[in-house]
Amino acid sequence: LEQVWRALVVGTRDFVLHAGFAGAVVALSGGIDSAITAAVAADALGPGAVLALAMPGETTPASETETARAVAESLGIELRVIPIRDLGGDELVGSVVGGVSPPVAEDLDARARGAVLMATAE
């Protein structure tokens, strides 16, 4: 496991440095996959070079954002909470097409999260 971790850290560091980036922006949802991603980034680049975004949607339990806060704090990385429900994507699209189902609303949330990450990383 140590070799796998080191490979992830070295690969991430090499990619970021080769690409000329100053750091990384990661989504931190409160799940294990995003926690590992943030940990790899913090280990590879240093905590000061990692910005985490928690982007709760309409159906996101508050406990997920609190877990994201705890992960960010334990890694020493900055966390910004950006409620995507405030972006109104499902209401906007729903007003055009006459409403959206919950699965479509969740898909729109995922796309809004991607857009926020891209805009932040620019």
Side-chain angles (χ1 to χ4, degrees):
L1 287 176
E2 179 65 26
Q3 286 180 325
V4 171
W5 185 262
R6 287 286 122 214
L8 289 168
V9 168
V10 169
T12 299
R13 183 182 305 118
D14 287 352
F15 174 81
V16 170
L17 294 176
H18 179 73
F21 298 134
V25 179
V26 298
L28 195 54
S29 67
I32 188 68
D33 52 342
S34 68
I36 291 170
T37 300
V40 168
D43 200 5
L45 307 172
V50 179
L51 170 62
L53 303 180
M55 298 172 279
E58 191 66 38
T59 61
T60 304
S63 61
E64 287 187 20
T65 302
E66 291 311 311
T67 300
R69 284 185 202 282
V71 169
E73 184 176 318
S74 72
L75 295 173
I77 62 177
E78 179 184 352
L79 175 69
R80 293 183 193 161
V81 178
I82 302 170
I84 60 163
R85 65 181 158 266
D86 295 345
L87 300 178
D90 53 341
E91 289 90 11
L92 175 64
V93 173
S95 70
V96 173
V97 298
V100 294
S101 66
V104 171
E106 288 179 21
D107 190 46
L108 291 170
D109 284 354
R111 286 168 176 25
R113 287 182 180 101
V116 169
L117 281 165
M118 288 173 51
T120 303
E122 184 176 43

